[in-house]
Amino acid sequence: MISSKVAPGEEEQGESPSKVELGEAEKQRGAPSEGQLEAVPLDEAGPSWTTGPPLERLPPLGQEAPPPRRCHTNCLEAPLSRGFQRFGATVGANPWLFLLGPALLTASLGTGLIFLPKEKENLEEQYTPIGSPAKAERRFVQGHFSTNDTYRFSASRTSSETNFASILVVSLANSLLEPEIFKEVSKLDQAVQALKVVQENGTQILYQEVCAKYKTLCVPPNPLLFSWQHNSSLNLSDLTFPIHNTPTQLIYLAGFFGGNVLGQMTGRSQRLVESRAMRLLYYLKTEDPEDSERSQAWLTHFLDHFNDMKSSLTLEEIEVVYFTSLSRQLEFEATSKTVIPLFHLAYILIILFAVVSCSRLDCIRNKMCVAVFGVFSVAMSVVSGFGLMLHLGVPFVIIVANSPFLILGVGVDDMFIMISAWQKTSLSESIRERLSNSYSKVAVSITITTITNVLAFYTGITSSFRSVQYFCIYTGTTLLFCYFYSITCFGAVMALDGKREVAWSRWLEKPDQKYSSLKKSCCVPFGSLIDKHGEDNHPMNLFFRDYFGPFLTTSKAKFIVVLLYIFYIISSIYGCFQVQEGLDLRNLASDDSYITPYFNVEEDYFSDYGPRVMVIVTESVNYWDNDVRQKLDKCMTQFEENEYVDKNLTEFWLEAYMQYMNSSGNNPNDKNTFMNNIAGFLQFFPIFTYDINISSSNEITSSRGFIQIVDVSSSSNKKRMLLKLRSIAENCEVPLMVYNQAFIYFDQYAAIIENTVRNVMIASTAMFIVSLLLIPHPVCSLWVTFAIASVIVGVTGFMAFWNVNLDSISMINLVICIGFSFDFSAHISYAFVSSTEPSVNKKSIEALYLLGYPVLQSAISTIIGVCVLSAAKAYIFRTFFKIMFLVMFFGAAHGLIFIPVFLTFF
């Protein structure tokens, strides 16, 4: 919000001659009677608009008539100004009513804060796309395939995340494939499995009771370690990767060992020369609710005692990091608490900024107390907005905690504008007249900026991410309360303070020879005089008019600005192609969380192998038909030839079944023979029991195989892999589907750009329409559109240089960016085209003179509101600060530098 905003409470030093002076200027010119002319232009020299027949202004004698002005419309602006004039008079006449009314409303709505959620926030629901393909795929898997974690557990066959604890072991030596190191890892493993929970009723929860099992044994946390523990003579220097053959079994090592140095090929595997890291995965029961509750109790105990257990083991050869299925949720909840102290600091900084901005040299016009209450009215809007949303049952998610910081910076802008307008009124007028005049001058300014910012937020409701929707609903609604409280509660405070001004002015003017000098020294220091008309100029306005504006319009400065913009736009476009997509789940925790080093080690050593993906035949097909099998085999070959798939690790029951049928001499092309031999096959290969779904009519309604994903450590690779696999499945002649539980989060990579572009386009269109309706000049709409596009490109590009991903959190800020870009550009360009100065350079200087300082002040107030988030320990809060800083910096640069120069060219 910047239109005609200047330093509040600075009349003695002068205010920018914006809309506030218009009434005086029209009176001096001899304004027509009411009903013929309603003039509410942006500046004194701006055009006038008529509600009746057009009126010609006669030029002074000796001067030529100015060229005829183009006709503009103010069908919304004029009635809005008249309505606010009447409303201001009502507030001025009844200040206590408009002060206590909002206070009571805040108190009643504030009761909604008791509904602040105490239950856990569902990360999947809030930070993954609504209606994503993976969620539909998961429903299909859950409806067609069963699992059994008490007897035949298989991690790759689960449809959703199970309870687990994961430990990453990193050797301090070059390789951990040494017996001494395995002994130390084995000691750690035994200590973990020995953990037990003693409940309040005295019963114990042992690991062996809650572990996921294969037959009667707990699933081994690491298959090679398990084999070594039962056969210490196992030669660790003679291993193959990713599959190691032993005389009794095949050991699957992919994902369990990382930082590997591989040697020559041996069949489908390579010799494992060195390995730096090892994973221990402790899977726990999840399917039965009672078992899951006991498993989570054991995991909580594990988290509480792991560090003590690690210290007691005095591990000398290895370093360990840990993570559980509960960790992400618990750390995410802890993150929200870290921002509460920053919220208090932000309010203190904003109050100080408001007090300094509104401080005066005389006790009559000093607005420090009014400024403090202005900040308090912003706090009231936060309480009211949040309380109303909680009463309505709108979920409160953690990123909504960013909203009050933004509301602080934006909300005080209305206060500055209203104080500025009040300071230009005369003390000789009544309170009712002063507030009426003030409201009529700020009506359009406050309304335009509120509408644009609220619209920008409400367009976020179209997002596919619930967290974005809820943030935008909370923030947009709170901004409406900010607007409402500014024109009611805060206006009432100004009216009451106006009565104080009158009382102090009479006391100061009262003849009193004894205390006259004391009064003046206390209330009017430095011998300054009270200016009742506010016609002086603020030093910052003079700076923009006399120094900055003339310098910016020189040929050399224009050349430098053009070069600077070219560098800016090229850098921004380059950065746009470097932005990483998607929310890294480690960023949901604070920087000092134990899960951060875990994810770092996992990225360093275990990024080669991704998830095992199900390839599902979704319909009943004739598996005994050779043509159908060839089509299916062709599709599986296409999967294996994909760059993100390891063809040596494919697992498909049909391939094994065909070998079984051929070895037993049965005909696989006969339906009855094919179906009748499946039961015998599953006895030899029980691992496939849950991969074949046979109906009561002896039909295979669905089945699945598995492929191993590799090289998807980056978000771009995850996105490409997902799209390619789904494309292969869609184009296959046999109905196929691909799924892994990780796809629930991978879908955000495919949805984030589409959502961002859609939200930006909707918000930009809304801004364009608003600019046409409320800023009646088509040229302004074009410059507004240019500024929005330019700032969005700049913010997006420089996100990459500041290590900020394009995710649901940054997408919110890009939507915010549109509203602020509008504020910074619309009024500067309109002041330019409305200027009657003869040259384009003078038009530009006048625009900066009128609005340069308000643009700067708006940017500073918003940055102060969010700057405390730069000290936050969590990515989601620091990201908010980073992007808001970029938005305000680039928005102010466009308003103060780029647009004033470019306007002189066109």
Side-chain angles (χ1 to χ4, degrees):
M1 299 175 202
I2 60 161
S3 136
S4 71
K5 183 177 68 174
V6 296
E10 294 286 358
E11 183 190 332
E12 285 180 329
Q13 299 174 7
E15 308 281 352
S16 62
S18 52
K19 290 186 222 175
V20 182
E21 284 93 342
L22 179 63
E24 296 297 327
E26 290 298 330
K27 289 178 183 177
Q28 294 172 13
R29 290 174 173 171
S33 61
E34 184 177 356
Q36 283 186 306
L37 177 66
E38 189 68 38
V40 195
L42 187 66
D43 59 87
E44 183 181 342
S48 62
W49 303 285
T50 62
T51 57
L55 300 173
E56 297 293 336
R57 287 185 183 166
L58 296 177
L61 292 176
Q63 293 186 14
E64 295 182 2
R69 291 173 181 168
R70 288 170 291 183
C71 180
H72 303 305
T73 174
N74 69 332
C75 57
L76 291 178
E77 188 177 16
L80 191 63
S81 182
R82 288 196 299 270
F84 265 79
Q85 191 172 21
R86 299 189 192 99
F87 183 71
T90 304
V91 175
N94 307 278
W96 284 107
L97 174 65
F98 287 94
L99 177 62
L100 297 178
L104 293 175
L105 178 62
T106 300
S108 61
L109 291 177
T111 58
L113 297 179
I114 64 176
F115 299 114
L116 279 170
K118 297 178 177 61
E119 66 274 8
K120 297 177 180 179
E121 183 176 325
N122 190 321
L123 301 185
E124 177 190 308
E125 180 180 348
Q126 303 300 337
Y127 297 95
T128 60
I130 301 170
S132 65
K135 293 179 181 178
E137 294 159 1
R138 178 173 61 185
R139 287 193 294 270
F140 181 91
V141 173
Q142 291 173 339
H144 290 77
F145 300 98
S146 61
T147 56
N148 186 344
D149 60 12
T150 62
Y151 185 73
R152 208 176 294 280
F153 177 81
S154 173
S156 59
R157 288 168 170 79
T158 57
S159 59
S160 56
E161 188 175 75
T162 61
N163 294 317
F164 71 90
S166 177
I167 300 175
L168 301 183
V169 178
V170 180
S171 171
L172 298 177
N174 292 331
S175 176
L176 50 67
L177 300 178
E178 301 290 341
E180 295 78 11
I181 297 179
F182 262 58
K183 287 179 182 178
E184 200 163 87
V185 175
S186 181
K187 184 170 62 172
L188 172 65
D189 171 53
Q190 292 168 6
V192 170
Q193 296 195 34
L195 289 174
K196 58 184 177 182
V197 182
V198 179
Q199 296 180 298
E200 294 180 358
N201 59 8
T203 60
Q204 295 183 344
I205 301 177
L206 304 177
Y207 172 75
Q208 287 72 21
E209 296 174 354
V210 295
C211 66
K213 295 182 177 180
Y214 190 83
K215 295 186 178 179
T216 59
L217 298 176
C218 292
V219 174
N222 185 290
L224 184 64
L225 176 66
F226 179 78
S227 297
W228 182 88
Q229 288 172 333
H230 290 79
N231 180 17
S232 58
S233 63
L234 180 65
N235 188 359
L236 298 178
S237 62
D238 188 24
L239 301 174
T240 56
F241 186 89
I243 297 177
H244 178 65
N245 292 302
T246 67
T248 57
Q249 62 178 338
L250 294 178
I251 301 178
Y252 186 78
L253 301 182
F256 287 100
F257 287 86
N260 303 321
V261 177
L262 302 178
Q264 62 185 11
M265 290 291 298
T266 304
R268 294 189 301 172
S269 299
Q270 291 177 267
R271 182 171 173 268
L272 185 59
V273 179
E274 291 181 359
S275 183
R276 186 71 187 276
M278 175 195 299
R279 188 196 302 269
L280 303 179
L281 263 175
Y282 300 88
Y283 286 109
L284 307 181
K285 295 176 183 176
T286 307
E287 295 174 8
D288 182 79
E290 185 177 345
D291 287 342
S292 181
E293 184 177 348
R294 288 165 56 83
S295 297
Q296 291 179 10
W298 188 89
L299 287 175
T300 303
H301 183 77
F302 169 88
L303 290 173
D304 292 339
H305 294 84
F306 182 83
N307 286 323
D308 293 337
M309 179 191 69
K310 183 177 69 172
S311 300
S312 65
L313 294 175
T314 61
L315 304 175
E316 298 178 353
E317 304 288 342
I318 57 175
E319 291 181 345
V320 295
V321 290
Y322 62 104
F323 180 78
T324 73
S325 52
L326 302 180
S327 297
R328 191 182 297 121
Q329 183 76 50
L330 294 174
E331 291 301 292
F332 185 68
E333 293 169 2
T335 297
S336 60
K337 300 176 182 178
T338 64
V339 78
I340 295 176
L342 299 178
F343 188 66
H344 300 150
L345 178 60
Y347 262 94
I348 293 173
L349 291 177
I350 284 292
I351 289 174
L352 290 176
F353 177 73
V355 166
V356 171
S357 297
C358 298
S359 61
R360 300 302 303 271
L361 295 177
D362 67 89
C363 60
I364 294 177
R365 295 280 192 167
N366 197 311
K367 297 295 178 188
M368 290 193 298
C369 293
V370 175
V372 172
F373 189 87
V375 178
F376 183 71
S377 72
V378 175
M380 288 172 55
S381 71
V382 173
V383 173
S384 299
F386 281 31
L388 176 62
M389 292 298 97
L390 290 168
H391 272 302
L392 295 177
V394 180
F396 183 93
V397 296
I398 187 173
I399 61 173
V400 174
N402 283 306
S403 180
F405 298 95
L406 178 64
I407 299 296
L408 263 180
V410 176
V412 295
D413 290 352
D414 288 351
M415 174 189 75
F416 292 148
I417 295 176
M418 294 181 68
I419 290 179
S420 172
W422 174 270
Q423 296 286 38
K424 293 185 184 331
T425 59
S426 173
L427 280 170
S428 60
E429 297 176 342
S430 68
I431 301 299
R432 189 172 181 272
E433 290 174 334
R434 294 179 70 184
L435 203 61
S436 176
N437 291 335
S438 299
Y439 272 39
S440 69
K441 303 307 183 292
V442 302
V444 178
S445 173
I446 293 178
T447 303
I448 286 177
T449 50
T450 299
I451 289 176
T452 55
N453 286 326
V454 170
L455 277 178
F457 280 108
Y458 280 162
T459 56
I461 298 174
T462 64
S463 170
S464 297
F465 296 86
R466 294 194 188 277
S467 57
V468 176
Q469 292 179 349
Y470 298 145
F471 176 89
C472 291
I473 292 173
Y474 270 88
T475 309
T477 303
T478 304
L479 282 176
L480 287 176
F481 274 102
C482 245
Y483 175 70
F484 174 68
Y485 288 164
S486 293
I487 61 177
T488 55
C489 184
F490 184 70
V493 170
M494 288 203 306
L496 294 174
D497 189 70
K499 294 181 179 180
R500 179 199 60 81
E501 288 182 359
V502 173
W504 281 57
S505 177
R506 290 173 180 172
W507 176 77
L508 189 62
E509 294 173 355
K510 183 179 180 181
D512 191 343
Q513 295 181 352
K514 185 175 181 181
Y515 299 106
S516 177
S517 59
L518 179 61
K519 285 182 180 181
K520 290 185 178 180
S521 62
C522 292
C523 297
V524 192
F526 309 113
S528 57
L529 298 175
I530 301 175
D531 186 353
K532 294 186 178 182
H533 303 286
E535 297 178 352
D536 292 336
N537 288 310
H538 188 277
M540 286 301 297
N541 295 112
L542 297 178
F543 166 76
F544 279 100
R545 185 189 68 184
D546 299 336
Y547 299 98
F548 185 77
F551 167 76
L552 196 65
T553 52
T554 62
S555 299
K556 291 183 178 179
K558 290 181 181 179
F559 179 73
I560 294 173
V561 168
V562 171
L563 289 181
L564 185 63
Y565 184 79
I566 292 174
F567 173 77
Y568 159 80
I569 202 68
I570 290 176
S571 301
S572 300
I573 293 173
Y574 171 78
C576 288
F577 290 98
Q578 309 303 314
V579 173
Q580 295 291 312
E581 303 163 29
L583 179 64
D584 188 338
L585 294 179
R586 87 184 75 179
N587 291 330
L588 295 178
S590 59
D591 298 337
D592 55 0
S593 169
Y594 63 87
I595 76 173
T596 302
Y598 175 89
F599 280 112
N600 291 339
V601 170
E602 188 175 51
E603 183 177 4
D604 291 340
Y605 296 107
F606 295 93
S607 58
D608 291 342
Y609 284 85
R612 284 185 68 75
V613 173
M614 303 179 194
V615 179
I616 305 165
V617 182
T618 59
E619 298 177 9
S620 178
V621 298
N622 298 330
Y623 293 93
W624 52 87
D625 188 327
N626 188 57
D627 290 339
V628 172
R629 291 200 302 269
Q630 286 182 352
K631 292 176 181 178
L632 190 53
D633 184 63
K634 178 182 176 182
C635 295
M636 294 301 295
T637 301
Q638 289 178 340
F639 281 119
E640 292 174 343
E641 290 175 349
N642 187 272
E643 60 183 308
Y644 299 111
V645 176
D646 187 337
K647 63 181 180 181
N648 295 319
L649 299 177
T650 300
E651 181 184 8
F652 193 25
W653 71 271
L654 185 59
E655 181 181 355
Y657 187 52
M658 294 307 298
Q659 294 176 2
Y660 170 82
M661 292 288 283
N662 292 331
S663 63
S664 61
N666 293 312
N667 180 16
N669 299 318
D670 179 73
K671 177 180 178 180
N672 292 329
T673 304
F674 187 96
M675 296 301 300
N676 293 335
N677 280 275
I678 291 179
F681 164 74
L682 294 179
Q683 290 180 354
F684 282 97
F685 301 95
I687 190 66
F688 296 122
T689 300
Y690 297 105
D691 295 340
I692 309 172
N693 189 5
I694 302 177
S695 67
S696 57
S697 59
N698 203 32
E699 293 284 341
I700 302 177
T701 57
S702 56
S703 68
R704 62 183 173 184
F706 299 88
I707 54 177
Q708 177 63 54
I709 302 302
V710 294
D711 299 328
V712 289
S713 57
S714 69
S715 60
S716 57
N717 285 347
K718 290 183 176 74
K719 175 184 175 181
R720 283 194 291 269
M721 176 273 295
L722 190 59
L723 295 178
K724 287 184 177 181
L725 294 188
R726 284 177 175 164
S727 176
I728 294 173
E730 183 179 352
N731 295 326
C732 182
E733 296 181 68
V734 178
L736 294 183
M737 173 191 294
V738 291
Y739 173 74
N740 180 276
Q741 56 187 270
F743 287 4
I744 300 292
Y745 293 96
F746 288 3
D747 268 336
Q748 64 170 315
Y749 303 124
I752 193 69
I753 289 184
E754 175 192 347
N755 272 260
T756 302
V757 172
R758 182 178 68 244
N759 291 341
V760 167
M761 292 299 295
I762 293 174
S764 299
T765 302
M767 297 304 103
F768 184 77
I769 294 172
V770 169
S771 66
L772 285 176
L773 292 176
L774 295 181
I775 306 180
H777 203 296
V779 174
C780 295
S781 300
L782 296 177
W783 282 108
V784 166
T785 305
F786 161 78
I788 289 174
S790 181
V791 173
I792 287 176
V793 170
V795 172
T796 306
F798 278 78
M799 279 167 48
F801 304 139
W802 213 347
N803 297 322
V804 176
N805 290 357
L806 180 60
D807 51 37
S808 57
I809 298 169
S810 54
M811 182 170 65
I812 291 172
N813 294 275
L814 290 178
V815 174
I816 297 172
C817 173
I818 296 170
F820 285 110
S821 302
F822 179 96
D823 294 347
F824 285 136
S825 59
H827 303 296
I828 284 284
S829 59
Y830 185 68
F832 180 94
V833 298
S834 301
S835 173
T836 56
E837 292 291 339
S839 70
V840 290
N841 284 347
K842 289 185 178 180
K843 287 175 182 287
S844 183
I845 293 172
E846 184 177 29
L848 288 170
Y849 164 60
L850 293 173
L851 293 166
Y853 183 45
V855 167
L856 188 62
Q857 191 180 28
S858 177
I860 291 174
S861 65
T862 305
I863 289 175
I864 288 176
V866 299
C867 70
V868 294
L869 294 177
S870 64
K873 295 181 179 180
Y875 167 88
I876 57 176
F877 297 119
R878 284 199 309 275
T879 294
F880 195 83
F881 159 73
K882 288 180 179 180
I883 301 185
M884 283 308 304
F885 178 84
L886 291 176
V887 168
M888 304 313 297
F889 181 79
F890 289 147
H894 279 71
L896 296 177
I897 300 174
F898 296 138
I899 287 181
V901 169
F902 294 161
L903 283 168
T904 65
F905 298 149
F906 300 97

